Amino acid sequence: SQQGEEDPQALSIQEGENATMNCSYKTSINNLQWYRQNSGRGLVHLILIRSNEREKHSGRLRVTLDTSKKSSSLLITASRAADTASYFCATDAGAQKLVFGQGTRLTINP
Amino acid sequence: DAGVIQSPRHEVTEMGQEVTLRCKPISGHNSLFWYRQTMMRGLELLIYFNNNVPIDDSGMPEDRFSAKMPNASFSTLKIQPSEPRDSAVYFCASSFRTGGIEQYFGPGTRLTVT
């Protein structure tokens, strides 16, 4: 069964707007990662946030983690057409493997 | 670095045939993961290896599936016999070690079983 659940399942916004995706999980984690998947491609790692961190930035990406609510959010600022992709959260619960959510399909309209 | 290499990229086969998917991890990585992605079930971990040793194969759907890693630079996932419900995209990923760090994914093999 999936550990992470992304919300929304699909998101469509205009270029230049910000996009926010959320991830909820069920068990305690060591860290949480976000990945991007372009159509027909493999997943690409975006950012990792550890359980003792609350916020992390990488370029136009901002990730937050609330371990009390077992949730994380990914914010993409000033979106571009090239950001169109599916975004997955993945949790590391200490079992030496990642468990991926179902993903959010993001569409950036020009 | 060439990244994770998978072959073939596309495979179309008839039900009952044997299918072998291949993966070459990134040089120096000692953990390798096989995933299956479908619309219905999302991305599922099938099996992973650490230092060429299978660690957890609990995700392998049934005995028709088997995976090997004879050396640090090569792994196979075999389905025998294949069934239409095996149709999916199969990804191989590698990392420096298991757990806690990023995984590098290959481009995937799209398998269609008719």
Side-chain angles (χ1 to χ4, degrees):
Chain A
S1 63
Q2 300 291 341
Q3 158 81 311
E5 296 288 337
E6 283 93 341
D7 170 57
Q9 291 188 350
L11 179 62
S12 181
I13 62 173
Q14 294 300 119
E15 193 168 17
E17 294 180 341
N18 295 341
T20 299
M21 290 157 274
N22 303 295
C23 169
S24 60
Y25 56 92
K26 298 173 183 173
T27 63
S28 296
I29 60 171
N30 294 327
N31 66 63
L32 185 145
Q33 303 179 35
W34 284 90
Y35 286 77
R36 182 188 73 228
Q37 184 180 32
N38 291 90
S39 181
R41 303 284 190 92
L43 280 71
V44 175
H45 180 264
L46 295 176
I47 195 165
L48 179 153
I49 186 164
R50 302 196 184 283
S51 60
N52 60 355
E53 297 176 309
R54 292 296 168 259
E55 187 172 312
K56 203 162 184 179
H57 297 255
S58 177
R60 293 184 297 112
L61 305 180
R62 172 179 169 249
V63 170
T64 61
L65 179 64
D66 187 334
T67 53
S68 66
K69 295 181 180 179
K70 291 187 169 57
S71 67
S72 174
S73 67
L74 171 66
L75 168 68
I76 303 174
T77 61
S79 63
R80 306 167 181 169
D83 295 328
T84 294
S86 291
Y87 292 81
F88 295 85
C89 67
T91 51
D92 170 18
Q96 297 188 323
K97 59 186 180 182
L98 295 179
V99 180
F100 287 82
Q102 292 280 15
T104 292
R105 190 169 56 256
L106 175 64
T107 302
I108 309 299
N109 302 303
Chain B
D1 197 326
V4 175
I5 298 172
Q6 291 187 248
S7 65
R9 293 294 310 277
H10 302 273
E11 176 80 31
V12 180
T13 191
E14 292 184 347
M15 183 175 65
Q17 296 297 308
E18 177 179 297
V19 175
T20 299
L21 310 181
R22 298 172 176 80
C23 175
K24 176 179 170 55
I26 292 173
S27 178
H29 285 188
N30 62 0
S31 296
L32 184 139
F33 307 80
W34 281 101
Y35 292 90
R36 178 173 68 176
Q37 186 177 40
T38 61
M39 288 294 292
M40 289 296 293
R41 299 177 66 88
L43 193 67
E44 302 174 281
L45 177 66
L46 300 177
I47 185 172
Y48 71 94
F49 296 82
N50 192 34
N51 294 322
N52 311 339
V53 176
I55 303 300
D56 185 345
D57 65 353
S58 60
M60 296 286 260
E62 46 197 277
D63 292 344
R64 297 184 297 106
F65 286 69
S66 63
K68 294 182 180 180
M69 192 165 185
N71 57 62
S73 58
F74 183 66
S75 177
T76 59
L77 178 67
K78 185 177 294 186
I79 308 172
Q80 166 63 17
S82 58
E83 296 182 3
R85 59 192 168 120
D86 301 330
S87 297
V89 181
Y90 291 81
F91 289 101
C92 175
S94 70
S95 67
F96 287 110
R97 55 177 170 83
T98 55
I101 63 171
E102 65 186 279
Q103 295 181 9
Y104 294 78
F105 280 73
T109 294
R110 181 174 296 276
L111 173 65
T112 303
V113 183
T114 61

